[in-house]
């Protein structure tokens, strides 16, 4: 057993001394000193300390972490259909977000239609410094037309995208970023800091009728897969023009 340099350096990056981490983790300074010396905290305390330091438990204590259990713990809930996700959950996650709100969909019109406070709350978050990034389907690309043909709804997908895009453009501050993507939508992704709603799509079935995962970042092996996917789509998307074409 030797000094836990990862923990010590994470404390330094977080600008926390022994007393500060002890206060945040609700333990004694002697306990923190033992952690730095190489003793691992109990599992529940490991999670709390990792959250305080914005690090992964598996990084701070690689020999003590059951990565299989942590990965499974990231799945907070599953729902057979998006329509069965508790209605209040979407707004609760949005209100709690302090750093990142990311959306990837073709339209995601249900958020603005079913939640009257969505646009104002999202705009307030962006104005307060939360990074807000919105990825909607590109009307000039091929994927919207393909999805429309798949659903057999005669142009309805493009119409939904135009409606929701107009709503965001009218209500969001300049700090919110909106891009248009032309990628196959394997999943719709809705991220709120360390919580994420993933709507898993199935060919020929409307998104409201396909399964949903509610993930919460712990180990990251579920969560980071979708973060990487989002970032790849974001990098390939084009900035939206300032107005919706007539």
């Amino acid at each position: 057993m030797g000094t836990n340099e990862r923990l010590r350096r994470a404390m330094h990056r977080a600008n926390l001394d022994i007393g500060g981490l002890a206060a945040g983790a609700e333990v004694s300074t002697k306990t923190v000193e033992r952690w730095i010396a190489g003793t691992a905290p109990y599992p529940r305390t490991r999670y709390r300390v990792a959250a305080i330091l914005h690090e992964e438990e598996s990084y701070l204590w690689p020999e003590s972490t059951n990565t299989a259990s942590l990965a499974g713990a990231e799945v907070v809930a599953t729902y057979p259909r998006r329509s069965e996700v508790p209605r209040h959950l979407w707004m609760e996650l949005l209100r709690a977000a302090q750093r990142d709100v990311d959306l990837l969909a073709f339209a995601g019109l249900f958020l603005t239609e079913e939640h009257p406070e969505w646009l104002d709350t999202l705009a307030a978050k962006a104005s307060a410094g939360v990074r807000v990034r919105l990825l909607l389907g590109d009307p000039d690309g091929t994927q919207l037309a393909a999805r429309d043909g798949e659903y057999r709804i005669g142009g309805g997908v493009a119409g939904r995208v135009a409606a929701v895009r107009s709503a965001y453009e009218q209500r969001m501050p300049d700090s919110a970023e909106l891009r248009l993507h032309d990628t196959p939508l394997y999943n719709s992704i809705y991220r709120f800091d360390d919580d994420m709603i993933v709507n898993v799509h199935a060919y020929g079935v409307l998104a409201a009728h396909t399964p949903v995962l509610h993930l919460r970042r712990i180990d990251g092996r579920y969560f980071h897969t979708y973060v990487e996917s989002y970032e790849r789509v974001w990098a390939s998307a084009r900035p939206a023009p300032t107005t919706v074409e007539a």
Side-chain angles (χ1 to χ4, degrees):
M1 183 172 64
T3 302
N4 189 333
E5 286 294 334
R6 292 184 177 187
L7 176 61
R8 189 176 66 82
R9 292 179 184 182
M11 290 170 60
H12 179 72
R13 287 192 296 270
N15 198 29
L16 285 175
D17 58 13
I18 290 174
L21 182 57
E26 301 179 355
V27 298
S28 68
T29 55
K30 291 291 186 184
T31 297
V32 176
E33 289 173 354
R34 287 196 293 271
W35 295 345
I36 295 173
T39 300
Y42 292 114
R44 180 175 297 180
T45 308
R46 285 202 303 264
Y47 174 79
R48 184 184 306 151
V49 172
I52 292 170
L53 298 177
H54 302 292
E55 294 288 356
E56 304 286 356
E57 289 182 62
S58 56
Y59 169 77
L60 296 173
W61 299 283
E63 296 180 358
S64 302
T65 304
N66 183 333
T67 56
S69 296
L70 283 176
E74 288 198 324
V75 182
V76 178
T78 62
Y79 306 94
R81 296 185 172 198
R82 193 191 70 204
S83 57
E84 296 181 31
V85 175
R87 183 182 175 88
H88 61 83
L89 181 62
W90 299 97
M91 290 305 304
E92 285 181 1
L93 293 177
L94 177 59
R95 292 189 188 103
Q98 298 296 318
R99 304 186 311 275
D100 297 286
V101 177
D102 293 332
L103 180 152
L104 167 61
F106 277 143
L109 187 59
F110 73 97
L111 291 171
T112 58
E113 285 186 333
E114 299 175 13
H115 303 278
E117 299 176 14
W118 176 265
L119 288 170
D120 287 342
T121 305
L122 186 61
K125 288 290 180 180
S127 297
V130 174
R131 183 178 68 168
V132 174
R133 298 186 298 174
L134 308 170
L135 277 166
L136 303 178
D138 190 337
D140 296 328
T142 61
Q143 295 299 323
L144 279 189
R147 184 58 60 96
D148 195 79
E150 175 188 330
Y151 287 163
R152 301 179 182 177
I153 53 178
V157 176
R160 293 170 67 83
V161 172
V164 75
R165 180 180 161 194
S166 176
Y168 282 129
E169 287 180 340
Q170 292 175 27
R171 305 286 283 279
M172 292 300 107
D174 291 340
S175 58
E177 298 180 80
L178 173 60
R179 293 187 182 181
L180 304 176
H181 72 94
D182 187 33
T183 56
L185 194 67
Y186 301 119
N187 305 279
S188 293
I189 298 173
Y190 308 91
R191 179 188 179 185
F192 310 88
D193 290 347
D194 292 332
D195 280 84
M196 183 182 291
I197 303 295
V198 179
N199 192 179
V200 182
H201 298 310
Y203 183 83
V205 182
L206 292 173
H209 299 154
T210 55
V212 164
L213 304 174
H214 177 189
L215 305 178
R216 180 168 297 142
R217 186 177 74 89
I218 300 176
D219 174 75
R221 288 194 291 168
Y222 278 99
F223 195 89
H224 290 165
T225 296
Y226 294 103
V227 170
E228 179 179 354
S229 178
Y230 186 93
E231 295 298 341
R232 286 175 180 267
V233 178
W234 182 260
S236 69
R238 66 182 178 97
T242 55
T243 59
V244 178
E245 296 86 350

